[in-house]
Amino acid sequence: MRLPTVMSSQLTLLLLRAQGTLQRLREDRGASTLEWVVITTLIIGIAIAAAAVMKDKVTEWLAKIP
């Protein structure tokens, strides 16, 4: 980003604070992504376990049919 050569100190401070805020948001986004990956992995694991239990129960039920 190219800045004008003459800039008031208030504008400089405002731009520096905005850059710092953007940097923190980028770091938070990474942590948020990691949380979503972990949550998604847990949900997928639970779904796979539930499917395995249901398949086992259906197979067991089918074996009882003469």
Side-chain angles (χ1 to χ4, degrees):
M1 178 162 101
R2 189 159 190 182
L3 301 175
T5 54
V6 178
M7 189 182 310
S8 71
S9 60
Q10 291 176 341
L11 184 56
T12 303
L13 178 62
L14 179 65
L15 288 175
L16 288 174
R17 290 183 74 184
Q19 287 175 346
T21 302
L22 285 174
Q23 183 63 31
R24 277 195 308 274
L25 287 174
R26 286 186 191 118
E27 292 169 1
D28 289 345
R29 190 177 314 147
S32 178
T33 301
L34 179 61
E35 290 171 0
W36 276 108
V37 168
V38 170
I39 290 169
T40 303
T41 303
L42 288 172
I43 291 171
I44 290 171
I46 291 169
I48 290 171
V53 168
M54 284 189 273
K55 182 181 180 210
D56 186 49
K57 292 295 180 181
V58 167
T59 304
E60 181 182 316
W61 181 75
L62 287 175
K64 291 180 183 178
I65 297 175

